[in-house]
Amino acid sequence: MTQRINYIQQSPELFKKFLEFSNALKNSAIEEAIRDLVSIRASQLNGCGFCLDMHVKEAHIHGERPLRLYHVATWRESTLFSPRERAALAWTEVLTKLPDHGVPDEIYERVLTQFNEKELSDLTFAVMVINGWNRANVAFRTVPGSADKAFGLDKANLA
């Protein structure tokens, strides 16, 4: 795969602002492990190899178990995820692939059993952010692993 343009170099101020917005999620009401799962699942759905590679490595660095990482794509069938994680993954999927008639009440109500309103709002922003990154990296074919050193992902020792 060959990268098209380097959007970071072409739009440095916008990249900086989006990165600040993205980093603000670290102080949100959503725990790191769920943010990792959300980023991985959205990246799988969007076919973003760069982001999938990055977030699997981040999750590994954060202590996530390898088997759970393997199971993210099949989370519905897996017994490795808590009800809260399942709700976050369902919310990620419905917001990433918006249905023609919006988010079904059944999914919204199910997710509200695991997240309070503040947490659900923060979770929604987490889904929005990863979908934004996915769209930029898919559009410009950012090469997976190409920013490992810059983001400290070489520490994952997964290459």
Side-chain angles (χ1 to χ4, degrees), residues 16 19 23 31 38 42 51 56 111 137:
K16 181 181 175 190
L19 186 60
N23 284 333
E31 55 269 37
V38 163
C51 292
V56 164
V111 172
N137 288 300

Side-chain angles (χ1 to χ4, degrees), residues 79-111:
T79 59
L80 301 179
F81 300 100
S82 70
R84 182 174 170 88
E85 291 166 333
R86 290 176 178 286
L89 290 164
W91 194 247
T92 300
E93 287 186 0
V94 76
L95 293 184
T96 298
K97 303 287 188 182
L98 284 169
D100 289 339
H101 301 291
V103 176
D105 289 339
E106 181 272 324
I107 293 175
Y108 175 74
E109 291 164 9
R110 184 170 18 122
V111 172

Side-chain angles (χ1 to χ4, degrees), residues 1 22 36 61 65 71 74 94-95 101 114 118 142 145 148:
M1 177 165 81
S22 185
D36 288 339
I61 290 169
R65 296 187 339 241
H71 280 226
T74 60
V94 76
L95 293 184
H101 301 291
Q114 299 298 319
K118 164 72 168 130
T142 309
D148 281 5

Side-chain angles (χ1 to χ4, degrees), residues 3-66:
Q3 185 166 336
R4 289 178 171 159
I5 67 170
N6 185 324
Y7 67 92
I8 298 168
Q9 290 175 350
Q10 296 303 314
S11 305
E13 288 302 315
L14 293 173
F15 169 78
K16 181 181 175 190
K17 294 292 184 190
F18 198 60
L19 186 60
E20 288 173 8
F21 176 56
S22 185
N23 284 333
L25 289 168
K26 292 176 183 173
N27 298 317
S28 75
I30 303 303
E31 55 269 37
E32 182 177 69
I34 287 183
R35 291 193 317 267
D36 288 339
L37 294 174
V38 163
S39 294
I40 290 166
R41 187 63 185 136
S43 298
Q44 289 173 336
L45 293 170
N46 289 320
C48 185
F50 178 84
C51 292
L52 180 58
D53 179 82
M54 170 182 279
H55 294 294
V56 164
K57 289 172 181 172
E58 281 183 339
H60 182 77
I61 290 169
H62 297 152
E64 186 58 79
R65 296 187 339 241

